[in-house]
């Protein structure tokens, strides 16, 4: 059993910043991919970013230069630092992880970018 618990969402003004966290617990492996998807109202869930257990990262083009993903291996936690937020970044952000070949999802945290 794996649990992913997200935190850090909220309301922020355009141009502002937020940091999302995703803490993993349970039957996790030392080799993993963890990352984030997001789902805007009325839209499909789309990929945002991932980081591997070896530190490799990837981002969707429209967040490059604004979002930074990082990890704390000791805490089994992944972070998404989001800067220069835009109204179009408003979405529910879902953490995901692959441990031992199985895909797991968190329940999501809402990010609202609005003045």
């Amino acid at each position: 059993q794996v649990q992913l618990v997200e935190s850090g969402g909220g309301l922020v003004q355009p141009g502002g910043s937020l940091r999302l966290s995703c803490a993993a617990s349970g039957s996790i492996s030392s080799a993993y991919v963890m990352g984030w998807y997001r789902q805007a109202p009325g839209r499909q869930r789309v990929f945002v970013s991932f980081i591997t257990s070896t530190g490799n990262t990837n981002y969707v083009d429209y967040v490059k230069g604004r979002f930074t993903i990082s990890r704390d291996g000791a805490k089994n936690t992944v972070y998404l630092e989001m800067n220069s937020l835009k109204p179009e970044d408003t979405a529910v952000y879902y953490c995901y992880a692959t441990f031992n070949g199985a895909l797991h999802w968190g329940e999501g945290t809402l990010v609202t970018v609005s003045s």
Side-chain angles (χ1 to χ4, degrees):
Q1 189 82 8
V2 171
Q3 289 186 323
L4 301 176
V5 179
E6 301 114 326
S7 61
L11 173 64
V12 63
Q13 292 187 340
S17 299
L18 281 176
R19 189 177 81 156
L20 305 182
S21 300
C22 174
S25 62
S27 300
I28 59 179
S29 55
S30 59
Y32 60 79
V33 177
M34 291 184 70
W36 299 88
Y37 273 65
R38 73 186 189 187
Q39 187 168 17
R43 308 290 293 273
Q44 290 186 324
R45 193 177 297 189
V46 296
F47 169 76
V48 176
S49 179
F50 73 70
I51 187 167
T52 70
S53 52
T54 57
N56 293 320
T57 60
N58 194 24
Y59 300 89
V60 68
D61 283 347
Y62 47 80
V63 306
K64 286 180 180 178
R66 300 189 299 123
F67 291 10
T68 302
I69 193 167
S70 61
R71 61 188 171 86
D72 184 333
K75 295 181 179 180
N76 298 316
T77 299
V78 169
Y79 305 96
L80 187 68
E81 184 74 35
M82 306 185 295
N83 298 315
S84 302
L85 283 162
K86 305 174 182 180
E88 51 263 42
D89 294 317
T90 294
V92 177
Y93 284 71
Y94 294 92
C95 175
Y96 77 97
T98 57
F99 297 115
N100 299 311
L103 175 63
H104 306 275
W105 290 96
E107 293 189 351
T109 185
L110 177 62
V111 172
T112 303
V113 185
S114 175
S115 55

